[in-house]
Amino acid sequence: LAIMFLPRQFQVSVVENVDVNHVKTAMWLFPLYMLVINLFVPAIAFGGMLHFAGASVDPDTYVLTLPLAKGHNGLGLLVFIGGLSAATGMVIVETIALSTMVCNDLAMPLLLRWRALRLNERKDLTGLLLGIRRAAIVVMLLLGYLYFRVAGENSVAWLCSTALWVVA
């Protein structure tokens, strides 16, 4: 279900899959990978609950605050860099997958129906496709930043009015 409903999983599993035989390997390797990377989660959660009992430390930050609390600043820096790179990679893949979907499923069907553009007479639409995808990436990143700013201020009314303004 994740492959069908999460754009980044769809991008990696379907769009970038160059060989059907890779699916056979992924069927056993992906669950094994998920198991291995989650082996340390209970240990970090338990360690954080023990060390920060009674303190107002967010459990989502245990992986970063535990090394810092014990004076291991280098390890804390590595954890921060690892988390930052994982988040950045996820945003990049997600944005590329969504821009491809916007281009292929929203923009191009509309543009191909607009006969005045005469797109059916053009031999190469590569530049147009890349332009649409790049514009979609910029718009999505700006909308994501806008959401971040609004959600941080807890202004639901402002978000709703802005969304209505954008739609109108």
Side-chain angles (χ1 to χ4, degrees), residues 35 37-49 62:
L35 177 71
I37 66 168
N38 286 298
L39 286 176
F40 302 102
V41 172
I44 293 171
F46 187 67
M49 289 188 314
Y62 284 169

Side-chain angles (χ1 to χ4, degrees), residues 14 16 19 42 44 89 95 102 110 120 126:
V14 178
E16 295 183 9
D19 187 1
I44 293 171
T95 307
V102 165
L110 292 173
N120 57 343
T126 305

Side-chain angles (χ1 to χ4, degrees), residues 2-72:
I3 289 171
M4 296 307 295
F5 296 115
L6 295 175
R8 71 176 172 275
Q9 297 298 78
F10 182 81
Q11 177 79 17
V12 172
S13 303
V14 178
V15 175
E16 295 183 9
N17 188 0
V18 294
D19 187 1
V20 177
N21 291 326
H22 293 165
V23 175
K24 292 178 183 174
T25 305
M27 285 173 53
W28 66 267
L29 190 58
F30 184 70
L32 179 63
Y33 166 75
M34 294 302 290
L35 177 71
V36 169
I37 66 168
N38 286 298
L39 286 176
F40 302 102
V41 172
I44 293 171
F46 187 67
M49 289 188 314
L50 285 177
H51 189 272
F52 299 116
S56 62
V57 176
D58 185 10
D60 289 336
T61 64
Y62 284 169
V63 73
L64 184 60
T65 53
L66 274 172
L68 295 177
K70 293 294 187 180
H72 300 289

Side-chain angles (χ1 to χ4, degrees), residues 139-153 155 158-159 162-163 165-166:
V139 168
M140 280 185 274
L141 290 175
L142 288 174
L143 287 174
Y145 180 72
L146 177 70
Y147 175 78
F148 164 75
R149 297 295 297 180
V150 170
E153 297 170 9
S155 177
W158 185 86
L159 177 62
T162 304
W165 178 79
V166 169

